[in-house]
Amino acid sequence: MPKHLSENYKQLNENYKELNKKYTSMNENQEEMKNDIPVIKNTLEGFNSRLEEAKDKISELEDKIESLDFLFLLKTIEDFYKSEDGENLEILCPVQDQACVAKFEDGVWYRAKVIGLPGHREVEVKYVDFGNTAKITLKEMRKIKDEFLSPPEKAIKCKLAYIEPCKGTLQWSKKAKEKFEEKTQDKFMTCSVIRILEDNVLLVELFDSLGAPGMTPISINDQLIKEGLASYEVGYTIKDNSKKHTEVWDPSPEEIISNEVNNLNSVTAKSLPNENLQSLYNKELPVHICNVISPEKIYVQWLLTENLINSLEEKMVAAYENSQWEPIKWENDMHCAVKLPDNNQWRRGQIIRMVTDTLVEVLLYDVGVELVVNINCLRELQENLKTMGRLCLECSLVDIRPTGGSDKWTATACDCLSLYLTGAVATIILQENNTTWPLPVKIFCRNEKGERVDVSKYLIKKGLALRERRIDKLDSSHSLSEKSLEIPLKQEDSMVTKCIKINSDPDKKAADIINEHRVSAFKENILEARTPGCYKPPVIPNMKVFEAVVSCIGDDGTVFVVPKLSEFELIKMMNEIQNNLKCLGLLEPYFWKKGEACAVRGSDTMWYRGKVIEVVGGTIRVQYLDHGLTEKIPQCHLYPILLYPDTPQFCIPCQLYHTIPVGSVWQPDAIELLQELLSKREVEIHIMELPENPWGKLSVHLYFDGMSLSYFMAHHKYCTFEHSEEVLKEKPTDYSKKYEDERWEIRFEELLLSETETPILPPYLPSSLPPPEELYAVQVKHVVSPNEVYICLDSVENCNLCNQHSDTDDSGVSWESESESLNEALRRFNTNVETFPPLTDFRTEMPCLAEYDDGLWYRAKIVSIKEFNPLAILVQFVDYGSTEKLTINRLRQIPLHLMQYPARAIKVLLAGFKPPLKDSGKTRIPYCPKWSMEALWAMIDCLQGKQLYASSMTRAPEQIVTLYEDEQYPVHMSLVEMGLAERDE
């Protein structure tokens, strides 16, 4: 072996031996490290334990420091406002919500804010660090320094969860308040926060922390229930006492959620079983609005499912956080776990449709959100996660419909509702006992003023929706009756121009789902739009003479009539069309053709059978097939369907026999005369000549009230006769005398009969108020404006007043006995009011009996005549002060016996306030523009249903009084505090 190779070999051998030693040493060290792992683990656990203890001690120390800081703040405030500097910070004119420092009854100064301005130099304040309120004088409050404003308020407003005042009461009883104060005042309590309500109010459950060690803490909420001082809220499920400590301290979602929510629809269900929501029908149910698409598609969650949702999220994260994507062939309706790209959360979902090979649209059915995601964000949903029912309910507002005559909600309405509701805590009331999907509900929530608002009425008030009366659904299927929609099975391909797209996808949009079963009925009963001739021509009565109603006068002078024998069938068909055509969805782009049949949504929002007459740009000229009217309307008001193809056209086009208009065409002024003369009028038709074409015009002689229309038009020189020997002015051979009896014979004798003549009666006796500066009980019966109302002396209070002063008023009639006598007399007269003669004299101030909206008759007087055709009279109900416009059939002569009682309602002006100077931007009262509508509604809220007291100021020329709410507090101060009125000394 060469020498240099031998040396290299020796060197490599030595290196190998060195490496072998190092490897052996590493193995030994590795074994030693394995033995040290348990020691290191125990050391780390001990360190973590000590770290937790340290954190607890730090937290306790921070609490103590915070308490010390608070005590120091209180001491600093007390010392400062006892000094001379504090005396120089007096407040001369406090305003609502003003921060200040106020003296408490213990003589110490505390931070506060103004919450009320009762007047008389008094201010109601709330001590922000303790929560209690008090009324103090201006001398007991001071301006607050900026340095005392920076620490946050210490008092947190809370509300006890799950409970409410005992059933039948709206307010907490005095006993309940005293018992709660006894259990909690100046005691250390454990507080379990259930949820944060509006205005940062905490919904809590309180527990007594001073129980014996190892014992379950006592819930104050439950104690109030057990002692009969409170009741559980509607929809709350009573917890099992044996598991109570588990539910409070280590909540199990399955135990927290109510039975109703636990039994909700399964993952694969499309609707809710009736038995799950039967018990909740027509009850107020608290919910959280999680997503709003439109008024027909609102997703809500029960408030009680909050913990269950959090638990489900934790399970989803544990199951899928470290999961890897695997290729799966996704299909519609498959359930999946969805990773939200934005916040790295996992949700349960269901595939709606495959957008592309890599994009899918999914519904997150626990929160009601639809979104498009990449398939990389999907995982197969584990079986154990499918067992829990859907945690989100799909709802639809009832009793409203879109504006503009369309079935589609505008983007403005959807955006407004979404902005108003999304994320809000609200109350829903199920509106149907036989549950449909989406759930038909009414939704109530609180506005910025804390007032309870009906969301449907809110949309109507904003002009984004119209009110719609609920129509009872048909018992069997929501389709048109088989008899009236019987359609032949044979369909000629040449006649079909367009197919109606019926969406049978089980996961279609909410507006389609709710009407799926209705639309399916149309598949068999409604043919698509077809070419001219698809409807049957009108049936001409098989008689020489028949009675009819003129439905329309065409632009060319054609008279369209509906035979009286067919009126009932027409009304029946129209009602069925209205009940069933609500289910039509949005129409895809469609090209209309002349003569094509369609359904027409008229300007009155009703559906009619129609036919296209002309296509003009974006509008269509259509004819209402059963009424003859021709109108130009937007394309969006048409739908290409054929309704009742076997039912002939109801209206018959007619032309006057041997009658030639001047100029060979009927002139516009002649058309106007015909429309004014004949529209909706009953006429008599004499058939003279049948049309050659079944769709052509029927040649007739037309008589209205026994007069020939041809003779009438010729007399006014609008037409001539082709045959001069035709004597059109003669009465028809079968003419009866009924026309003369009904129309021409005028008898004046009946007007002079004694029972027809209305006797001239004196005006009602006025009621008088007690003398000035005397306080008496009243009720407000009618509000004209914030400072003009009608009051009525309260009978009970006034009876006591009479006992103190005199037994009768100036008329010698006791108020208490008078009240009973008048009520009894009105009840008696209401039982046989039909026997009283009608009112025939309508002079101003004429006393009478008038029928109110409730169907009962009350004393009234004539104010004025409002309309002459038909005659309408403005009357005032003298015992209430309200006015109403009534037709003469709702007025009767008043019996003389009822005139002996004074009119109860007394018109008064309210003293002490006036309209504000800077209030012009708000909506004004039309008949009293110096006041705003907001001030009017606020005054009605202050007066409605309350026991009030009044004190007369002056009696002439107008009666002026001051109204008090509690014998001391003027009612108008509420308007002054809200800035809707100003004080008027």
Side-chain angles (χ1 to χ4, degrees):
M1 179 182 296
K3 185 178 180 180
H4 66 279
L5 292 177
S6 178
E7 290 177 355
N8 286 341
Y9 174 77
K10 289 179 180 179
Q11 185 64 40
L12 288 171
N13 192 32
E14 289 176 359
N15 291 342
Y16 171 75
K17 291 178 180 179
E18 185 68 26
L19 288 171
N20 193 30
K21 286 180 182 180
K22 290 182 178 180
Y23 176 74
T24 304
S25 176
M26 287 176 63
N27 284 339
E28 293 174 354
N29 292 336
Q30 187 175 3
E31 291 297 327
E32 292 177 0
M33 289 176 65
K34 286 181 180 179
N35 296 330
D36 290 340
I37 286 177
V39 178
I40 295 173
K41 186 176 181 181
N42 292 333
T43 304
L44 288 175
E45 289 177 354
F47 175 76
N48 288 335
S49 177
R50 289 194 295 273
L51 183 61
E52 292 298 327
E53 292 177 2
K55 287 181 179 178
D56 293 339
K57 290 181 179 179
I58 291 172
S59 179
E60 292 178 8
L61 184 60
E62 287 176 347
D63 291 341
K64 290 180 180 178
I65 292 173
E66 187 177 352
S67 299
L68 290 174
D69 288 342
F70 179 54
L71 293 175
F72 179 74
L73 174 66
L74 295 179
K75 182 65 177 174
T76 306
I77 293 174
E78 182 181 358
D79 292 342
F80 177 80
Y81 285 95
K82 279 185 177 180
S83 65
E84 293 182 1
D85 293 337
E87 294 292 333
N88 297 327
L89 296 175
E90 291 187 2
I91 296 176
L92 301 178
C93 185
V95 296
Q96 190 79 14
D97 294 326
Q98 180 180 2
C100 62
V101 173
K103 184 185 289 187
F104 192 54
E105 57 189 18
D106 59 2
V108 180
W109 296 87
Y110 299 97
R111 296 193 303 167
K113 73 174 179 181
V114 179
I115 61 172
L117 302 167
H120 305 292
R121 299 188 65 79
E122 274 193 342
V123 178
E124 187 175 5
V125 297
K126 174 185 175 182
Y127 297 95
V128 296
D129 295 317
F130 299 92
N132 52 329
T133 61
K135 286 185 179 180
I136 60 174
T137 62
L138 292 180
K139 295 180 180 180
E140 296 173 320
M141 61 185 301
R142 299 284 186 269
K143 295 178 182 177
I144 188 169
K145 293 182 64 179
D146 292 341
E147 62 189 80
F148 297 145
L149 279 172
S150 56
E153 299 178 8
K154 298 299 179 182
I156 303 174
K157 188 175 181 180
C158 302
K159 177 185 176 184
L160 293 183
Y162 313 136
I163 65 173
E164 60 187 9
C166 292
K167 294 181 179 178
T169 60
L170 299 177
Q171 301 292 334
W172 290 101
S173 64
K174 182 179 180 182
K175 186 177 180 181
K177 293 177 182 178
E178 291 175 351
K179 180 60 69 173
F180 177 72
E181 197 169 314
E182 175 188 326
K183 292 178 178 293
T184 59
Q185 188 74 30
D186 298 326
K187 292 182 181 180
F188 287 101
M189 313 293 294
T190 300
C191 177
S192 174
V193 179
I194 308 300
R195 189 174 68 259
I196 301 177
L197 301 177
E198 300 173 2
D199 302 327
N200 292 325
V201 177
L202 300 184
L203 190 67
V204 302
E205 187 168 10
L206 288 181
F207 299 90
D208 190 347
S209 300
L210 302 181
M215 296 294 292
T216 302
I218 300 173
S219 169
I220 302 300
N221 305 43
D222 290 344
Q223 286 296 310
L224 293 176
I225 295 286
K226 290 179 180 178
E227 296 182 22
L229 302 175
S231 59
Y232 286 111
E233 289 181 343
V234 176
Y236 175 70
T237 303
I238 302 174
K239 296 178 286 188
D240 185 358
N241 291 332
S242 63
K243 300 181 180 180
K244 188 168 184 178
H245 65 283
T246 304
E247 293 170 345
V248 173
W249 306 113
D250 189 12
S252 168
E254 288 76 10
E255 293 170 346
I256 291 177
I257 190 169
S258 65
N259 291 334
E260 290 81 9
V261 179
N262 274 333
N263 293 329
L264 287 180
N265 57 310
S266 64
V267 165
T268 58
K270 289 297 172 192
S271 62
L272 297 176
N274 292 346
E275 60 269 19
N276 291 333
L277 294 176
Q278 291 293 330
S279 60
L280 303 182
Y281 168 65
N282 216 19
K283 293 182 180 178
E284 295 192 2
L285 307 170
V287 296
H288 172 258
I289 311 292
C290 49
N291 191 26
V292 177
I293 307 299
S294 74
E296 291 180 342
K297 197 171 188 180
I298 301 171
Y299 291 95
V300 304
Q301 295 170 340
W302 301 121
L303 286 183
L304 295 175
T305 63
E306 185 175 354
N307 291 334
L308 183 60
I309 292 171
N310 295 335
S311 173
L312 179 61
E313 289 179 1
E314 293 175 1
K315 291 180 180 180
M316 294 287 290
V317 170
Y320 297 104
E321 187 174 18
N322 299 319
S323 63
Q324 298 296 323
W325 177 80
E326 297 178 359
I328 297 176
K329 185 179 179 181
W330 296 105
E331 297 178 355
N332 290 353
D333 296 336
M334 289 182 64
H335 299 281
C336 55
V338 185
K339 182 180 181 181
L340 303 184
D342 297 334
N343 51 18
N344 202 29
Q345 289 183 336
W346 288 89
R347 299 279 188 187
R348 297 187 302 170
Q350 187 174 19
I351 294 178
I352 299 175
R353 64 186 179 95
M354 302 297 296
V355 181
T356 65
D357 292 340
T358 58
L359 296 178
V360 294
E361 184 177 5
V362 295
L363 168 66
L364 309 180
Y365 49 72
D366 291 322
V367 291
V369 174
E370 296 178 4
L371 73 164
V372 177
V373 298
N374 194 289
I375 59 174
N376 294 333
C377 299
L378 303 184
R379 304 288 188 272
E380 189 174 0
L381 189 63
Q382 297 177 5
E383 290 299 325
N384 64 314
L385 295 173
K386 293 182 181 179
T387 57
M388 188 183 301
R390 299 189 181 195
L391 303 181
C392 190
L393 304 178
E394 186 178 344
C395 300
S396 173
L397 287 175
V398 298
D399 299 340
I400 59 173
R401 57 184 171 86
T403 56
S406 173
D407 287 335
K408 181 181 179 182
W409 288 99
T410 63
T412 304
C414 298
D415 292 344
C416 176
L417 188 65
S418 178
L419 180 66
Y420 188 75
L421 278 186
T422 302
V425 174
T427 300
I428 66 172
I429 301 178
L430 300 186
Q431 295 299 294
E432 290 184 13
N433 207 2
N434 50 341
T435 309
T436 58
W437 188 266
L439 295 176
V441 300
K442 282 195 172 186
I443 298 180
F444 299 87
C445 64
R446 299 284 179 182
N447 62 10
E448 60 274 6
K449 296 181 181 179
E451 300 168 341
R452 180 181 166 97
V453 175
D454 184 333
V455 176
S456 298
K457 292 182 179 178
Y458 173 81
L459 290 176
I460 294 172
K461 183 179 179 181
K462 288 289 186 180
L464 302 175
L466 297 175
R467 187 178 303 279
E468 182 173 48
R469 293 181 180 178
R470 226 174 301 165
I471 300 176
D472 294 336
K473 298 186 177 181
L474 301 179
D475 294 332
S476 56
S477 65
H478 300 273
S479 60
L480 300 176
S481 65
E482 295 180 2
K483 181 177 180 180
S484 58
L485 266 182
E486 215 171 36
I487 296 178
L489 297 176
K490 296 181 181 179
Q491 301 181 23
E492 298 181 16
D493 296 337
S494 61
M495 300 178 71
V496 179
T497 61
K498 176 71 179 177
C499 292
I500 301 174
K501 182 177 180 181
I502 305 295
N503 190 350
S504 58
D505 183 2
D507 287 287
K508 62 173 71 65
K509 304 296 182 185
D512 299 329
I513 296 175
I514 192 172
N515 295 309
E516 179 180 356
H517 53 291
R518 295 187 186 180
V519 177
S520 61
F522 279 89
K523 286 185 178 181
E524 299 178 359
N525 294 335
I526 300 179
L527 293 180
E528 291 72 26
R530 300 185 290 185
T531 54
C534 55
Y535 282 112
K536 290 186 175 182
V539 176
I540 298 174
N542 190 20
M543 54 184 74
K544 180 72 174 177
V545 179
F546 65 92
E547 292 184 346
V549 175
V550 177
S551 59
C552 174
I553 303 296
D555 295 338
D556 59 351
T558 303
V559 181
F560 293 90
V561 300
V562 177
K564 290 284 289 181
L565 297 174
S566 304
E567 266 194 315
F568 177 76
E569 292 181 20
L570 175 59
I571 294 172
K572 180 182 177 183
M573 185 190 74
M574 287 297 297
N575 289 336
E576 291 177 350
I577 290 176
Q578 309 319 310
N579 292 338
N580 292 279
L581 280 195
K582 293 179 181 180
C583 63
L584 292 179
L586 293 176
L587 182 64
E588 295 178 356
Y590 187 76
F591 297 97
W592 292 95
K593 298 178 181 179
K594 182 178 179 180
E596 190 172 357
C598 58
V600 184
R601 191 176 183 88
S603 56
D604 57 358
T605 72
M606 294 181 64
W607 288 96
Y608 297 86
R609 297 196 301 177
K611 181 174 69 174
V612 176
I613 302 298
E614 184 183 8
V615 180
V616 186
T619 59
I620 307 291
R621 188 174 180 83
V622 298
Q623 182 181 42
Y624 295 85
L625 203 67
D626 300 302
H627 299 80
L629 175 67
T630 302
E631 189 176 27
K632 189 182 292 185
I633 64 173
Q635 291 189 23
C636 60
H637 288 194
L638 300 183
Y639 210 89
I641 58 176
L642 185 62
L643 301 172
Y644 299 86
D646 287 342
T647 301
Q649 175 180 319
F650 279 95
C651 71
I652 304 173
C654 300
Q655 62 182 2
L656 297 179
Y657 183 66
H658 284 178
T659 303
I660 302 174
V662 174
S664 298
V665 294
W666 290 101
Q667 302 302 315
D669 52 344
I671 299 295
E672 291 180 6
L673 177 60
L674 288 172
Q675 290 173 342
E676 182 178 352
L677 187 67
L678 298 178
S679 291
K680 309 303 178 186
R681 192 166 195 162
E682 291 188 14
V683 296
E684 191 172 280
I685 302 294
H686 291 247
I687 299 176
M688 304 303 295
E689 189 176 290
L690 295 175
E692 296 180 1
N693 183 347
W695 297 91
K697 300 176 185 178
L698 181 67
S699 296
V700 301
H701 283 323
L702 187 150
Y703 294 88
F704 62 98
D705 297 340
M707 179 176 288
S708 167
L709 178 63
S710 298
Y711 174 78
F712 179 87
M713 298 301 289
H715 176 75
H716 289 279
K717 302 191 180 339
Y718 286 114
C719 62
T720 58
F721 309 130
E722 187 174 312
H723 300 285
S724 57
E725 66 272 11
E726 183 83 29
V727 186
L728 293 175
K729 65 179 180 179
E730 290 184 358
K731 300 174 185 178
T733 55
D734 59 346
Y735 172 77
S736 66
K737 292 187 177 182
K738 68 176 182 179
Y739 298 109
E740 185 175 345
D741 293 339
E742 292 179 0
R743 306 296 296 181
W744 302 110
E745 186 172 352
I746 302 176
R747 298 177 180 176
F748 297 96
E749 294 83 356
E750 293 180 357
L751 299 178
L752 301 177
L753 296 176
S754 59
E755 59 268 20
T756 306
E757 181 183 0
T758 299
I760 304 301
L761 298 174
Y764 294 98
L765 296 173
S767 295
S768 59
L769 296 176
E773 300 183 358
E774 187 169 327
L775 203 63
Y776 47 90
V778 297
Q779 291 180 350
V780 175
K781 293 296 184 181
H782 179 63
V783 179
V784 179
S785 68
N787 67 338
E788 183 180 337
V789 300
Y790 283 84
I791 64 173
C792 175
L793 292 177
D794 187 85
S795 58
V796 176
E797 293 291 334
N798 197 69
C799 184
N800 297 335
L801 195 68
C802 292
N803 292 337
Q804 298 173 11
H805 300 279
S806 63
D807 294 332
T808 60
D809 59 12
D810 295 339
S811 64
V813 181
S814 169
W815 265 88
E816 184 65 22
S817 60
E818 172 202 316
S819 173
E820 293 176 356
S821 299
L822 177 58
N823 291 337
E824 290 174 358
L826 283 173
R827 278 195 295 268
R828 184 172 66 256
F829 289 126
N830 266 281
T831 58
N832 57 353
V833 70
E834 297 298 330
T835 62
F836 296 106
L839 191 68
T840 57
D841 193 328
F842 305 109
R843 69 185 69 191
T844 304
E845 298 292 322
M846 170 64 74
C848 61
L849 284 177
E851 184 183 21
Y852 191 58
D853 291 339
D854 58 3
L856 298 178
W857 295 74
Y858 299 90
R859 299 196 302 167
K861 66 179 180 181
I862 302 296
V863 177
S864 64
I865 297 177
K866 296 296 291 183
E867 296 176 4
F868 289 94
N869 188 21
L871 187 61
I873 311 297
L874 183 68
V875 303
Q876 182 181 48
F877 295 93
V878 296
D879 297 316
Y880 299 90
S882 58
T883 58
E884 190 164 353
K885 185 175 70 173
L886 302 175
T887 53
I888 57 174
N889 63 311
R890 297 176 65 181
L891 301 177
R892 299 271 179 181
Q893 295 183 27
I894 188 171
L896 187 61
H897 174 68
L898 290 178
M899 294 297 298
Q900 63 177 310
Y901 308 110
R904 288 184 178 180
I906 306 171
K907 179 182 176 181
V908 298
L909 298 179
L910 303 184
F913 66 108
K914 60 184 180 181
L917 295 177
K918 299 179 180 180
D919 194 30
S920 58
K922 299 178 180 177
T923 305
R924 319 308 297 173
I925 302 176
Y927 54 83
C928 188
K930 63 182 180 180
W931 287 102
S932 68
M933 287 297 297
E934 187 177 351
L936 177 63
W937 289 117
M939 177 56 82
I940 291 174
D941 290 339
C942 293
L943 302 176
Q944 196 167 23
K946 293 183 179 179
Q947 175 64 65
L948 302 172
Y949 298 86
S951 175
S952 300
M953 307 292 289
T954 62
R955 290 190 174 184
E958 294 178 312
Q959 302 199 79
I960 301 176
V961 304
T962 302
L963 279 182
Y964 297 92
E965 188 170 335
D966 57 359
E967 303 187 18
Q968 294 181 349
Y969 184 70
V971 294
H972 63 259
M973 289 305 299
S974 297
L975 269 68
V976 174
E977 293 168 5
M978 289 187 283
L980 301 174
E982 293 181 358
R983 298 186 66 174
D984 186 9
E985 301 296 340

